[in-house]
Amino acid sequence: MAGVQTAVALREQGFDGPVTLIGAEPHQPYDRPPLSKAILLGKAEDSAFEIDFEDLGIELRLGLDVTGLRAADHEIDTEAGPVAYDVLVVATGAHPVTLPGTEGVPGVHLLRTLDDAVRLGPVLERRHSVVVVGAGWIGAEFATAAREAGCAVTVVEAADRPLAAALPAEVTAPMAEWYGANGAELLTHARVHTVEAGAPGRVVLADGRELAADAVVVGIGARPATRWLDGSGIALDPSGAVTADDRLRTSLPDVYAVGDCASFPSARYGERLLVHHWDNALQGPRAVAAAITGAADAPYDPVPYFWSEQFGRFVQYAGHHAAADALLWRGDPADEAWSVLWLRAGVPVALLAVGRPRDLAQGRKLIEAAVPVDPERAADPSVPLKAAVR
């Protein structure tokens, strides 16, 4: 997404020089959100971008691994030999974290690429029993699709709740109920000891419990895909992400970084952010293209946004709640639709909306504008958020 959008944005902003887009996968560039939904359930064959790359004068070099960067020579190394650049944009995304000891074990799957989704399709078609390791966003979305397909689903989570790394306990508590209500078993405080192949295979937990599994799907996070930059001298943060500045420039001359592989400083939130979501891979490229073409000189400091479809609910999140000092509920979390608003010194900094898209749209604007709200009115779900402004 980030690489494609950067190439397109360069053309939209008037860049008329040669543009080459290199990707390791052999497929035409595609969008990822449908992988855990329509493609997984066989409702679509692919999610290729409807972009005429030839018409835009964008050269595609697909199925080509990039193995290194030599900034002094303004060249990258590939399996097909070196490629020179005037400006390089690193948009290599992230790799899913694998479960130790499961590499190469038959029946163990990841869900990150089109090939992953294609391999998992028959698992759902045959209504296999599935163990999902990890109750994060991907785990919840895959469990949703597997239940829709009629599979028996058990979700194993090492933490005490789903989405433990993303949201506070009081917010995830009602979300944990969604699993059982939709026929999926959620096991928390559950660590995987071993995965054994077979028909069916077995997942053995650290406490000795054994779970039968025709297939195991691992969704325990992702790490920036930056190992190929080893030895290049580029600055990385402890997570392995490229440390871009507020124009998405890296520490190397004429090299930018965007999307899942790059962190950037946010003046809005007072910290460096690493955002592994679709919207960042859409917005960041416009900032990169503007910096390259000189079309604008504004810092990149977006309000992060993402969405997730799980267990019949449309979940949306905008902002970053880490530094919030107040949390307001809008509605009853036992109901189908509710929201949570985070404030810092009376100003909205983040919002989670479950089935309340109007809250999300209005809340996102308030976050962007840093407008203070009246907490009492903001906590009343019958009051539109835009009407809660002080």
Side-chain angles (χ1 to χ4, degrees), residues 236-271:
L236 306 177
D237 67 21
S239 75
V242 178
T243 52
D245 68 8
D246 61 4
R247 270 69 173 178
L248 299 179
R249 298 171 297 206
T250 75
S251 62
L252 297 178
D254 303 318
V255 180
Y256 295 76
V258 66
D260 290 5
C261 68
S263 65
F264 58 89
S266 170
R268 184 191 308 275
Y269 292 107
E271 62 181 283

Side-chain angles (χ1 to χ4, degrees), residues 168-236:
E170 61 190 300
V171 176
T172 59
M175 303 171 84
E177 302 298 321
W178 299 350
Y179 288 79
N182 287 273
E185 184 178 11
L186 173 64
L187 303 179
T188 57
H189 296 288
R191 292 187 176 275
V192 174
H193 178 58
T194 56
V195 176
E196 300 174 4
R202 290 191 309 165
V203 175
V204 181
L205 302 182
D207 61 9
R209 283 179 291 176
E210 297 182 0
L211 308 173
D214 295 307
V216 176
V217 178
V218 179
I220 54 175
R223 298 287 182 269
T226 56
R227 288 293 301 274
W228 67 279
L229 291 166
D230 287 353
S232 69
I234 200 167
L236 306 177

Side-chain angles (χ1 to χ4, degrees), residues 102-122:
T102 64
E103 293 87 345
V105 175
V108 178
H109 301 265
L110 300 168
L111 180 53
R112 183 77 181 183
T113 68
L114 177 60
D115 288 339
D116 292 336
V118 169
R119 281 190 289 266
L120 276 165

Side-chain angles (χ1 to χ4, degrees), residues 29-291:
Y30 61 87
D31 206 6
R32 293 192 187 277
L35 298 184
S36 61
K37 305 171 185 72
I39 292 174
L40 195 58
L41 290 168
K43 297 177 181 178
E45 292 185 2
D46 63 44
S47 56
F49 291 110
E50 294 183 0
I51 296 170
D52 191 332
F53 292 99
E54 184 176 356
D55 184 61
L56 289 173
I58 297 170
E59 179 188 0
L60 293 182
R61 299 190 65 180
L62 305 177
L64 182 62
D65 271 322
V66 177
T67 57
L69 165 61
R70 290 177 286 108
D73 298 324
H74 269 56
E75 287 184 341
I76 55 172
D77 292 317
T78 78
E79 294 175 319
V83 176
Y85 65 84
D86 293 315
V87 175
L88 175 68
V89 180
V90 178
T92 44
H95 289 310
V97 176
T98 58
L99 192 63
T102 64
E103 293 87 345
V105 175
V108 178
H109 301 265
L110 300 168
L111 180 53
R112 183 77 181 183
T113 68
L114 177 60
D115 288 339
D116 292 336
V118 169
R119 281 190 289 266
L120 276 165
V123 171
L124 271 60
E125 288 174 10
R126 293 194 287 267
R127 299 185 177 181
H128 280 176
S129 62
V130 180
V131 170
V132 180
V133 182
W137 300 110
I138 286 293
E141 290 189 0
F142 179 81
T144 298
R147 285 300 301 139
E148 185 176 334
C151 298
V153 177
T154 302
V155 181
V156 175
E157 170 57 52
D160 61 348
R161 63 188 190 278
L163 297 168
L167 296 168
E170 61 190 300
V171 176
T172 59
M175 303 171 84
E177 302 298 321
W178 299 350
Y179 288 79
N182 287 273
E185 184 178 11
L186 173 64
L187 303 179
T188 57
H189 296 288
R191 292 187 176 275
V192 174
H193 178 58
T194 56
V195 176
E196 300 174 4
R202 290 191 309 165
V203 175
V204 181
L205 302 182
D207 61 9
R209 283 179 291 176
E210 297 182 0
L211 308 173
D214 295 307
V216 176
V217 178
V218 179
I220 54 175
R223 298 287 182 269
T226 56
R227 288 293 301 274
W228 67 279
L229 291 166
D230 287 353
S232 69
I234 200 167
L236 306 177
D237 67 21
S239 75
V242 178
T243 52
D245 68 8
D246 61 4
R247 270 69 173 178
L248 299 179
R249 298 171 297 206
T250 75
S251 62
L252 297 178
D254 303 318
V255 180
Y256 295 76
V258 66
D260 290 5
C261 68
S263 65
F264 58 89
S266 170
R268 184 191 308 275
Y269 292 107
E271 62 181 283
R272 181 168 285 275
L273 300 181
L274 177 60
V275 181
H276 281 194
H277 294 297
W278 185 92
D279 193 64
N280 181 51
L282 174 67
Q283 304 296 339
R286 296 169 182 168
V288 168

